[in-house]
Amino acid sequence: MTEVDYYELLECERTADAGTIKTAYRKLAMKYHPDRNPGDAEAEGRFKEVSEAYDTLKDSQKRAAYDRFGHAAF
């Protein structure tokens, strides 16, 4: 399985600050949330991917590891 870049998933730049990442996550989370898309397995999968990306990028230590090693850091 090919891993998609977390920054691409959240539609933001690698140089984005924490506030920008949070705003991007919230926008996409609302768009793909399972309660807003009942029965849509693709939207649910996308929501999980976006949540995983945000979970990694919101923590400064995890983000540094991801920036340095990519998905291999985890």
Side-chain angles (χ1 to χ4, degrees), residues 18 21 26 28 31 39 42 44 50 56-58 65 67 69 73:
I21 291 173
R26 294 182 103 186
L28 293 170
K31 181 177 179 180
E42 184 177 335
E44 183 177 344
V50 168
T56 299
L57 297 180
K58 73 179 179 181
D67 287 345
F69 303 110

Side-chain angles (χ1 to χ4, degrees), residues 5 7 14 57 60 62-70 73-74:
D5 183 54
Y7 292 101
R14 287 190 169 274
L57 297 180
S60 61
K62 287 182 182 179
R63 183 176 179 181
Y66 178 77
D67 287 345
R68 188 166 193 183
F69 303 110
F74 308 102

Side-chain angles (χ1 to χ4, degrees), residues 6 9-10 18-26 48-59 62:
Y6 287 158
L9 274 174
L10 294 178
T20 304
I21 291 173
K22 183 176 183 177
T23 302
Y25 164 71
R26 294 182 103 186
K48 289 179 182 178
E49 289 176 341
V50 168
S51 296
E52 181 182 333
Y54 179 66
D55 185 50
T56 299
L57 297 180
K58 73 179 179 181
D59 182 296
K62 287 182 182 179

